[in-house]
Amino acid sequence: FVEHYASMGVKHMVFLDNGSTDGTVETLQKYDVTVLRTTLPFRNYQLHMRRYLIRRFGKGRWSLTVDMDELFDYPYSDVVDLSSLLRYLNNGGYTAVVAQMLDMFPEKPLKSLAGDEGELADSEDEPLKELHRFYDISGVRVQDYYPLGGNNNVLTNEEIKWFRDGIKTTLFGHRAMLSKHPLVFFDGKIIPVDGTMHRTSNARVADFSCVLFHYKLLDRLYEQALRAVAEKNYPNRHDKYEKYVIALEQNPELQIKRETAREMESVNDLVENQFLVVSGDYMVWVDAEEEKRVVDAMEGEPRRFAEAYFKARVGVQTLSARRLQRQIRELKISLAKERRKRQALERRNTTLNVQLQAMQGSRSWKLIKTFASVRAKVLGR
């Protein structure tokens, strides 16, 4: 956890320890981090704890609030470093970023129990990124961002949706929200962790989404679920952990990887399969950062050549973007015209149906039907 965020360029990390007994505090002593400790019951104060951290340390700056089993990442982080990402957010006047939780799992079956004596699985750290390379989005349910995301939010990219369920629903039948706002700028107006850890209100939401790689599906899941059921630290989530325990006891070696699973090669894969969303403006920023990186690494004639190349590429992209925008506008106008025509025909059809029904119920229509019947009989003779 510490090494991931340090390599990303996070300036400082603050941990809130809630009476852990697994050596967390002792391990953190070798890092330059801040550790706060409280014995308040987590089940009653978890939302207050999260808000407290943001308000104390995040006033007037960006803060990322995540759990110990969540590793944050964002599209094209191999090109755009964290400081550049925050500049983009500041330039756009954004105050919150949506992140989608993505459960990662190994290729091997999940061993929830170890040995014939039923001892709990070893809880030592695993090389998560190397072993847990697989994910499965086939069970993700997509909903509109509003109203689940929060109150009075401005969503600047309508392609960003609210995600639910996923692989844990497939495996355990537990329904869960996957969307959060972990990265926020506390400007005094925004309300982080509004009612649940997923909602944020009074925010201007960025035009791209990020990911929280979630490492819950470990060999130690059975042990964690047993403890959660016994301690009841998670309000309204007791049934979730009970489902974990039942499923893992019935299937001690649970195979998570299925035909619909995919192997993670880069966070950018999630843009290609539409799990994450990026805007045109964000991609322009990515291109500019890529250009800067390439040009800064060159000197002399190659540098001048690279500058000319990127300048020409931007011109071509701008021209192509304008053509595409014009085509999209023309298509929208054409669709609107066709929609109006269809609506006019539907209205006309409704009017004619009403008139026909009125005619069929009239005395004149009945007389016409009677005359027609008589005429048919006469002609039949």
Side-chain angles (χ1 to χ4, degrees):
F1 183 95
V2 174
E3 291 169 358
H4 172 82
Y5 288 105
S7 66
M8 182 175 284
V10 171
K11 284 187 176 181
H12 193 67
M13 283 175 252
V14 180
F15 294 84
L16 181 58
D17 183 80
N18 188 216
S20 66
T21 58
D22 59 359
T24 294
V25 175
E26 292 75 15
T27 301
L28 289 172
Q29 289 177 355
K30 64 182 179 180
Y31 298 105
D32 183 18
V33 299
T34 297
V35 179
L36 306 180
R37 308 182 77 173
T38 179
T39 56
L40 290 172
F42 184 78
R43 70 171 70 90
N44 299 329
Y45 293 97
Q46 63 160 323
L47 299 184
H48 298 283
M49 293 174 181
R50 297 174 193 275
R51 281 196 293 266
Y52 168 79
L53 292 175
I54 295 172
R55 288 170 177 168
R56 176 172 172 180
F57 297 97
K59 187 176 182 180
R61 60 166 61 97
W62 286 94
S63 59
L64 179 68
T65 306
V66 290
D67 293 336
M68 286 290 288
D69 57 7
E70 296 172 349
L71 299 184
F72 175 82
D73 207 347
Y74 53 92
Y76 303 100
S77 56
D78 56 334
V79 176
V80 178
D81 62 25
L82 187 59
S83 61
S84 176
L85 181 78
L86 299 184
R87 284 198 305 275
Y88 177 82
L89 294 170
N90 289 330
N91 291 346
Y94 302 119
T95 57
V97 180
V98 169
Q100 313 292 3
M101 296 181 66
L102 184 63
D103 284 292
M104 306 300 295
F105 49 84
E107 187 171 15
K108 65 179 179 63
L110 181 67
K111 295 181 180 179
S112 59
L113 299 173
D116 296 333
E117 299 178 0
E119 295 179 0
L120 296 177
D122 187 5
S123 60
E124 292 182 1
D125 285 340
E126 300 178 45
L128 297 181
K129 292 182 180 180
E130 290 78 9
L131 293 178
H132 295 250
R133 307 185 313 276
F134 296 91
Y135 66 100
D136 193 332
I137 59 176
S138 61
V140 173
R141 188 156 58 99
V142 180
Q143 296 179 296
D144 287 338
Y145 174 85
Y146 297 111
L148 298 170
N151 297 319
N152 303 318
N153 288 348
V154 176
L155 185 66
T156 58
N157 188 342
E158 294 181 357
E159 293 183 9
I160 296 176
K161 302 297 181 181
W162 199 256
F163 289 176
R164 306 188 68 143
D165 300 341
I167 187 64
K168 288 204 293 288
T169 302
T170 304
L171 295 174
F172 306 109
H174 170 66
R175 312 297 294 272
M177 286 191 182
L178 304 178
S179 301
K180 290 184 177 181
H181 303 82
L183 183 60
V184 299
F185 184 87
F186 190 60
D187 59 355
K189 299 176 182 178
I190 193 172
I191 305 176
V193 199
D194 187 15
T196 76
M197 68 179 70
H198 297 267
R199 286 167 53 93
T200 291
S201 297
N202 298 341
R204 178 174 167 80
V205 181
D207 57 357
F208 64 96
S209 58
C210 303
V211 63
L212 286 172
F213 293 119
H214 191 212
Y215 297 92
K216 177 69 74 176
L217 300 174
L218 311 179
D219 285 345
R220 71 191 77 161
L221 177 60
Y222 180 73
E223 177 185 1
Q224 293 175 334
L226 278 179
R227 186 185 303 119
V229 171
E231 296 176 354
K232 293 183 169 55
N233 274 333
Y234 297 91
N236 304 322
R237 284 192 277 170
H238 301 154
D239 61 330
K240 162 186 173 179
Y241 290 100
E242 288 171 354
K243 289 178 180 178
Y244 287 174
V245 170
I246 293 171
L248 292 171
E249 287 180 346
Q250 292 176 346
N251 190 0
E253 293 194 2
L254 181 63
Q255 179 62 57
I256 304 175
K257 184 174 179 291
R258 305 180 177 209
E259 293 181 356
T260 51
R262 310 182 191 192
E263 185 172 2
M264 179 67 66
E265 296 183 2
S266 165
V267 65
N268 303 332
D269 297 345
L270 300 176
V271 177
E272 295 180 10
N273 59 38
Q274 299 180 334
F275 184 79
L276 296 184
V277 171
V278 293
S279 68
D281 288 342
Y282 184 77
M283 291 309 301
V284 169
W285 187 273
V286 172
D287 283 346
E289 289 298 299
E290 184 182 29
E291 173 188 348
K292 187 189 305 181
R293 174 181 296 187
V294 172
V295 172
D296 288 347
M298 295 181 174
E299 296 180 357
E301 190 64 26
R303 177 166 184 157
R304 286 192 291 272
F305 176 79
E307 288 174 342
Y309 165 75
F310 281 112
K311 185 176 180 180
R313 190 180 74 165
V314 169
V316 171
Q317 289 175 336
T318 301
L319 181 61
S320 299
R322 288 175 179 171
R323 287 175 180 168
L324 181 59
Q325 289 173 351
R326 184 174 66 252
Q327 291 173 355
I328 291 173
R329 284 196 301 269
E330 291 173 352
L331 181 60
K332 286 182 176 179
I333 292 172
S334 177
L335 288 173
K337 289 180 179 178
E338 293 299 323
R339 192 181 299 113
R340 287 195 295 270
K341 289 180 181 178
R342 190 191 70 227
Q343 290 171 347
L345 288 172
E346 289 175 349
R347 289 194 297 270
R348 179 61 177 163
N349 187 49
T350 301
T351 301
L352 291 173
N353 281 331
V354 171
Q355 292 175 349
L356 179 59
Q357 291 173 4
M359 289 173 58
Q360 289 175 340
S362 67
R363 293 178 61 186
S364 299
W365 182 264
K366 292 177 180 178
L367 287 172
I368 291 173
K369 289 183 67 178
T370 301
F371 289 147
S373 175
V374 171
R375 183 171 179 272
K377 291 178 181 178
V378 171
L379 291 177
R381 292 175 186 158

